[in-house]
Amino acid sequence: MNMFDTQTEIASFTPYSIEQLPLSITLHDESLSIVWDDDHESEYHFLWLRDNCHCSECVSMLTREQVFEICDVPYTIKPSHAYITDDHRLVVEWNHEGHISKYHPGWLREHCYSKSTVEANQWKPRLWDKSSIATELPKSTFDEITQSDTQLLIWLRQLRDYGVALITKTNQAPNDLVEVANKISFIRKTNFGTIFNVKAKADANSSAYTDLRLPLHTDLPTRELQPGLQFLHCLINDASGGESILVDGFKIARYMQENHPEEFDTLRTVPMPFHNKDRQSDYRFRSTVIMTDSHGEIVEVRLANFLRGSFDVPACQTLALYRAYRCFIKLTREPRFQFFYRLKAGDLMVFDNRRVLHARNAFDLTSGSRHLQGCYVDRDELLSRIRVLERHEN
Ligand code: OGA
Ligand code: ZN
Ligand code: ZN
């Protein structure tokens, strides 16, 4: 059987362009190094290379999923021969079962895991405050987003990087929200419905459904996974008051890390409970206010004063937690961090609910009415849509 007799060289939808060419390889005890034509050097371990063989025995061309299991070869597997072909592929002939692997240079370079490449590829949020977002707020019109995938991709990347983006000039119709959300993917249904109507209601089951001021918060911190994107579409905003305030939670967390490191560490390590109790549901989750990933990057904030449970940490941590929590809230109240915006009919505000805190001022229903519609789409749906749209980018 010809191992490379497949429809595509790599069973993947991602187009790997060849921007750098491998010039030479050097074999070491447990790995090989490639020097590329831009002088970058990549080291690939033998086990890693065997694990990532593209051949049709190792990867199903139907599902694009690996069928080979790395546990089925010796830990000490080595190349018996390795070379670069005239068409710039790395070929490894293994000392186990005569298996041969051939690697596409675009794929290999894209998957280089040298420290410098990993650092360069790390996504970085564009942090903002009052003055920067005033000039940088990403904006598109409803028609641009719904009619052009190129515009959509630009807007989605901005939404990913800033954690907030605005759509203007919707048709002011209830279905606009669903249309935009579905441009990304599935709406995440919750106990508040697929679409929730934010207006003052007699039988309110959330502070959002009153005319009261809502302090800065993330939605549904009571859930194991907080919804990623939050959409708020303004249908009517005639009442006086009701202005929106947004704060970049990552900016606040970073500021705390640099200026109040102890308080930052407390919010990153000591969890607090969040509760939401309704007639038919009782959601509770215990989590830290700030979350960091394995690189120490701030990846999530979680906070709603009106959904907090009573602190239940050991007595020796109670005051430290109050001190840290108060420090965070006080910073969010500083005008220099706040983006103040009055939504008008036809505006659709979208933000990363696991990053950006939102608030609204109280409003006066005797002066007019106010009606927003909202829904959620998870963060990984956004990232998935961006990647799929990027496949077709030239
Ligand atoms: C909400 C909310 C803000 C507003 O529904 O979660 O925060 O402007 N609404 O009414
Ligand atoms: Zn293989
Ligand atoms: Zn909210």
Side-chain angles (χ1 to χ4, degrees), residues 188-193 196 205-206 208-209 217-230 274-276 281 283-287 300-308 351 353-354 358 375-378:
R188 174 163 156 195
K189 192 175 181 181
T190 73
N191 57 315
F192 293 106
F196 47 91
N205 62 349
S206 159
Y209 306 148
H217 66 283
T218 57
D219 270 20
L220 277 55
T222 51
R223 304 296 299 268
E224 184 175 5
L225 177 69
Q226 296 189 104
L229 298 179
Q230 175 164 177
F274 296 95
H275 292 174
N276 175 243
S281 58
Y283 292 107
R284 303 181 190 194
F285 196 67
R286 205 160 169 276
S287 168
E300 180 159 5
V301 297
R302 180 186 291 260
L303 190 120
N305 192 63
F306 48 95
L307 296 171
R308 243 172 357 95
F351 50 88
N353 180 61
R354 295 166 63 193
H358 62 289
C375 69
Y376 306 114
V377 171
D378 279 326

Side-chain angles (χ1 to χ4, degrees), residues 196-199 206-210 212 214-215 217-220 230-232 237 242-245 306 343 351 353 358-361 363 370 372 374 376:
F196 47 91
N197 284 288
V198 185
K199 44 177 164 178
S206 159
S207 305
Y209 306 148
T210 66
L212 299 174
L214 277 183
H217 66 283
T218 57
D219 270 20
L220 277 55
Q230 175 164 177
F231 292 65
L232 284 175
N237 197 8
E243 297 85 1
S244 307
I245 298 161
F306 48 95
L343 286 167
F351 50 88
N353 180 61
H358 62 289
R360 70 141 193 256
N361 287 336
F363 52 94
R370 186 176 192 274
L372 310 186
Y376 306 114

